Amino acid sequence: MSFFDKIFGEKQQEKQSKSFWNLIESEKDLENAIKKSYDGKIAIFKHSTSCFISKTVLRNFEKEIDEADEKVATFYFLDLLAHRNLSNKIAEDFGIRHESPQLIVIQNGNEVNNASHQDISLSQITL
């Protein structure tokens, strides 16, 4: 492990550190996530693996999820550096400006809320 990995963490471990994340790595994954939104809210966390702010927001958000009393949504993780095309598709399909980090809440196939940077919290899902 390099010096920078010790400070900032390894990218692979970061994505898979929490069992509640469903990874979006293809258009099919994104399509399946949108279908799942008809069963209940889904939340897509768009994360830049090279950004310290994004990493900090991700850790805080994961802590909130871990401490929550109930499951409020199905959670999806998108590494936007590895899958920028999917990030762009989400922005285009839902008519929202791309941000990073960004949380997009979808229900019944429609974006119902989104937040970026320090505004990302579990409360954005329950509004």
Side-chain angles (χ1 to χ4, degrees):
M1 181 181 288
S2 75
F3 172 74
F4 290 107
D5 284 341
K6 287 179 183 177
I7 293 173
F8 298 111
E10 291 186 61
K11 293 177 186 176
Q12 238 0 47
Q13 286 178 340
E14 183 177 305
K15 287 193 287 190
Q16 297 174 353
S17 63
K18 299 293 182 178
S19 63
F20 51 76
W21 289 122
N22 297 284
L23 301 181
I24 296 178
E25 299 178 317
S26 68
E27 285 196 33
K28 186 68 172 169
D29 291 342
L30 179 57
E31 186 180 303
N32 288 337
I34 303 307
K35 285 180 185 175
K36 181 78 173 164
S37 78
Y38 289 91
D39 297 331
K41 287 182 183 175
I42 68 161
I44 299 174
F45 191 100
K46 291 175 27 180
H47 173 58
S48 172
T49 55
S50 66
C51 175
F52 178 76
I53 293 170
S54 189
K55 184 172 200 144
T56 301
V57 171
L58 174 64
R59 285 184 178 159
N60 291 339
F61 185 64
E62 287 178 333
K63 185 177 179 186
E64 275 191 276
I65 295 168
D66 283 339
E67 294 173 353
D69 292 334
E70 61 184 270
K71 184 179 175 184
V72 295
T74 301
F75 297 98
Y76 292 87
F77 182 96
L78 175 63
D79 175 342
L80 66 91
L81 295 181
H83 305 287
R84 184 58 190 247
N85 62 320
L86 297 174
S87 178
N88 291 341
K89 181 169 177 41
I90 290 168
E92 184 179 319
D93 289 355
F94 292 100
I96 54 177
R97 190 175 93 187
H98 162 78
E99 304 250 5
S100 171
Q102 186 174 38
L103 180 72
I104 302 163
V105 182
I106 300 170
Q107 187 171 28
N108 296 320
N110 297 303
E111 179 261 341
V112 294
N113 200 8
N114 72 81
S116 64
H117 298 84
Q118 270 53 10
D119 291 333
I120 293 173
S121 74
L122 210 51
S123 65
Q124 298 298 323
I125 299 170
T126 58
L127 291 176

